Amino acid sequence: MSNSPKSGQTMDEGIFDLEDSEAEISRLERPAIRKNWATPDGATFDLTIPPTVYPPREDTDLLCRTLRALGPGKGKRLLEIGCGSGAVSMYAASLGYRVRACDINPFAVASTKANSKRFNLAVEAYEGGPGPHQDGVPTQWAGQNAHDLIVWNLPYLDQEHAQGDVLGPLEEAALLDTDSQGLVSRLMMQVRENQLLTKRGLILLVVSNNSKGDNAEKEAQKSGFAARCIATHEFEDGEMLRVLAVWTPYSTSSIHRYERVESTNETAMEEGENEGDLFIAQQQTKGRGRRGRTWLSASTCFAGSWLVRKGTSASNPGLLQILCGLAALDASVLMGINNDQIALKWPNDVYLHDHTGLGKLGGVLVEGKSKGKEAKIIAGIGINFSTAEPNEATFSMAYMSDCVDEASVEVYALVLHAILASYLERRADLPDPKTEAHIETLERAIKASQSLLGNPIYRNKTWFVAGLENNGNLRLTNQEGEEVTLNDGEAIQWENLKTN
């Protein structure tokens, strides 16, 4: 008998019927299995796993290897969501974490309690957890205290892929994501509203390369959290598991807000103390673009500058600048702009196609300054939201409000702050981020943008974007087989832009 979703049923109607419930009862009559599971340290846990409870698999191993890489627990609080057999919680306890576990499957809770007790590991387990249907208030499954680390091996099957005589109402808890809101988004909401994570805390999520897994970073960033992939596992059939680290962006830095400053970049350069310090102004009187040009802002805009590096100079400032442009583009898409309306123009601009045509939505200026042995790198980003004033620029300008109803500068700042931290923030518990890791994504974005900007024109010839160098220089090719590498955006024009 198949347990796939019934034809014509909606999410609200549920995906299981009376036959499924009867089949689930029969599953519970199966005997428990015994499984010897080896930890990353070589220890072996002999686990008793009841029917309907998720056993340790490759995703369990990947998550535990990632835990090991973080180092000893040293008494930090860890919450595992969806504990299954208890393998991850037990391993975390062996590393020195104070572990609390939860699962919406009561047999998983019983399994975790019994297995951890057998090996004399202190693991508290409770029924409940975040999901499309509330199963207990957060304090029931998460406790009263904020956690230093939250881990969750997320359900990875979409509803349409639940087929065969495999899934039932209890297996659904471990394998099937039926949350229309998205479990990542729901978890971020629970973490923020219920203060489940400490200030410098970290969340580890295991996701697959399905549509929901691929969008997990964006879902976290849309909620104001930074997210970065820190570990992977690829199967022979091409399926990819990823571990995402999620955290509160630049939690030890400060956000400074001003009504009016000459330049947010200059203010950040003078007053920035910690990486991630952000300086936002409602109005800039001497804002600058590239080559000292006056930056013309809309009457309502986002104008902010980050201290992105302190103590070291930027090895590839050109790549950093276009990466910040991608962050501005991604934040705009998360605000509601369609992907086919927005373009990333090398080396530092974002363009938008609205009802009036193609116009400049915003731009980026990266600047550095050294004094003695200390260097500061500032990234300034400006985005137009709306204006009641005539356009004084020699080029067309575009505005967020023309494409997004009730566009909020405050929400945009929150999302952009999270994306930049995802790309650039350095944390002692994570591998250092590398701007070069984003080159393929940048190349795709720049090539896709040619559908709006047109092809680049260089020395009176039409060219095509071939790619990016590690230093951010642009590689072009043409139909004659010629190739050229450019480091100056002033050297080219774009077919659909009158001026750049």
Side-chain angles (χ1 to χ4, degrees):
M1 180 181 66
S2 172
N3 287 313
S4 59
K6 308 304 183 288
S7 176
Q9 283 185 316
T10 68
M11 188 73 72
D12 290 337
E13 292 169 337
I15 63 173
F16 299 111
D17 59 16
L18 180 59
E19 290 181 353
D20 293 312
S21 299
E22 292 173 347
E24 188 75 352
I25 294 173
S26 69
R27 286 188 182 92
L28 294 174
E29 296 173 352
R30 296 177 300 185
I33 65 171
R34 298 288 291 271
K35 181 179 178 68
N36 286 323
W37 174 70
T39 73
D41 301 320
T44 300
F45 288 150
D46 179 17
L47 303 174
T48 300
I49 306 173
T52 77
V53 173
Y54 190 72
R57 291 176 177 162
E58 292 88 349
D59 43 11
T60 311
D61 298 337
L62 176 62
L63 181 54
C64 287
R65 289 196 300 270
T66 308
L67 272 176
R68 184 189 185 194
L70 294 179
K74 296 182 178 179
K76 294 179 181 178
R77 296 184 183 276
L78 181 146
L79 171 67
E80 184 189 9
I81 299 172
C83 55
S85 66
V88 174
S89 287
M90 293 168 64
Y91 181 61
S94 75
L95 292 175
Y97 286 96
R98 288 184 289 172
V99 180
R100 184 182 182 102
C102 66
D103 202 299
I104 63 175
N105 182 346
F107 295 96
V109 174
S111 177
T112 296
K113 287 182 177 180
N115 286 323
S116 57
K117 183 178 181 180
R118 181 183 308 127
F119 286 88
N120 198 30
L121 292 169
V123 175
E124 297 181 2
Y126 300 87
E127 188 176 344
H133 306 289
Q134 181 167 302
D135 188 357
V137 296
T139 53
Q140 172 187 314
W141 49 269
Q144 300 284 349
N145 299 303
H147 302 277
D148 303 291
L149 187 60
I150 298 174
V151 300
W152 192 2
N153 183 2
L154 281 160
Y156 59 89
L157 289 181
D158 296 323
Q159 183 176 339
E160 62 188 49
H161 295 123
Q163 55 188 357
D165 190 20
V166 177
L167 294 180
L170 291 176
E171 286 92 335
E172 173 193 351
L175 295 175
L176 184 59
D177 186 351
T178 61
D179 193 339
S180 58
Q181 176 181 335
L183 287 173
V184 175
S185 176
R186 190 175 298 279
L187 175 62
M188 298 302 103
M189 179 184 67
Q190 293 276 20
V191 169
R192 186 177 298 281
E193 291 182 354
N194 298 289
Q195 299 180 337
L196 302 184
L197 194 67
T198 59
K199 184 178 181 180
R200 288 286 293 168
L202 195 65
I203 303 171
L204 298 181
L205 302 177
V206 180
V207 299
S208 181
N209 60 338
N210 57 21
S211 58
K212 290 190 175 183
D214 285 343
N215 290 326
E217 287 101 326
K218 295 291 186 275
E219 287 300 315
Q221 291 160 359
K222 191 174 182 179
S223 299
F225 289 87
R228 181 188 306 156
C229 178
I230 60 170
T232 61
H233 175 83
E234 186 171 3
F235 294 92
E236 291 183 358
D237 62 1
E239 181 186 1
M240 176 76 75
L241 297 176
R242 301 186 301 138
V243 178
L244 301 184
V246 179
W247 68 94
T248 301
Y250 293 120
S251 60
T252 59
S253 302
S254 303
I255 298 178
H256 308 267
R257 302 178 186 275
Y258 304 86
E259 290 187 7
R260 182 185 178 98
V261 297
E262 290 188 353
S263 163
T264 56
N265 264 25
E266 287 185 0
T267 305
M269 189 71 75
E270 293 172 2
E271 301 182 14
E273 293 292 337
N274 302 303
E275 289 188 5
D277 281 351
L278 169 58
F279 299 82
I280 302 174
Q282 294 181 20
Q283 182 182 13
Q284 294 186 98
T285 59
K286 294 183 180 179
R288 301 190 312 279
R290 294 179 70 243
R291 298 197 172 188
R293 294 189 182 98
T294 300
W295 171 257
L296 297 174
S297 299
S299 53
T300 301
C301 67
F302 170 81
S305 297
W306 285 260
L307 172 57
V308 294
R309 287 290 178 266
K310 183 180 180 181
T312 57
S313 60
S315 56
N316 298 315
L319 186 60
L320 175 60
Q321 185 160 258
I322 192 64
L323 183 60
C324 290
L326 179 65
L329 182 148
D330 285 345
S332 301
V333 170
L334 290 179
M335 291 288 290
I337 291 178
N338 293 328
N339 273 302
D340 57 4
Q341 288 182 279
I342 196 165
L344 180 63
K345 184 176 82 68
W346 181 85
N348 68 323
D349 290 331
V350 178
Y351 273 72
L352 176 66
H353 192 280
D354 58 20
H355 65 281
T356 64
L358 190 61
K360 184 174 178 178
L361 179 66
V364 177
L365 179 62
V366 170
E367 296 182 296
K369 185 177 181 180
S370 297
K371 185 176 181 181
K373 295 183 179 180
E374 184 177 274
K376 285 184 177 182
I377 305 299
I378 305 299
I381 298 177
I383 296 292
N384 301 320
F385 271 71
S386 64
T387 189
E389 302 169 357
N391 182 8
E392 298 179 2
T394 58
F395 52 86
S396 297
M397 294 177 68
Y399 306 95
M400 180 85 67
S401 60
D402 288 339
C403 296
V404 179
D405 294 336
E406 299 180 358
S408 167
V409 177
E410 290 73 20
V411 173
Y412 184 87
L414 178 76
V415 173
L416 182 55
H417 193 57
I419 295 175
L420 281 177
S422 303
Y423 292 165
L424 302 174
E425 184 175 356
R426 298 189 288 192
R427 289 178 55 114
D429 52 0
L430 297 179
D432 278 352
K434 299 183 183 301
T435 51
E436 294 85 354
H438 300 281
I439 285 181
E440 288 187 12
T441 303
L442 286 164
E443 288 176 338
R444 287 195 299 269
I446 294 171
K447 290 177 181 179
S449 295
Q450 290 178 105
S451 62
L452 288 178
L453 302 175
N455 292 319
I457 307 298
Y458 175 65
R459 293 183 176 176
N460 298 318
K461 291 184 179 181
T462 300
W463 299 73
F464 307 95
V465 174
L468 280 178
E469 301 287 307
N470 281 355
N471 59 6
N473 290 349
L474 184 68
R475 289 188 288 110
L476 302 178
T477 186
N478 62 22
Q479 292 181 338
E480 300 171 12
E482 297 176 301
E483 295 185 0
V484 65
T485 300
L486 303 177
N487 62 5
D488 184 4
E490 307 293 326
I492 59 174
Q493 299 288 321
W494 299 82
E495 284 179 326
N496 296 342
L497 299 180
K498 294 181 180 178
T499 62
N500 288 325

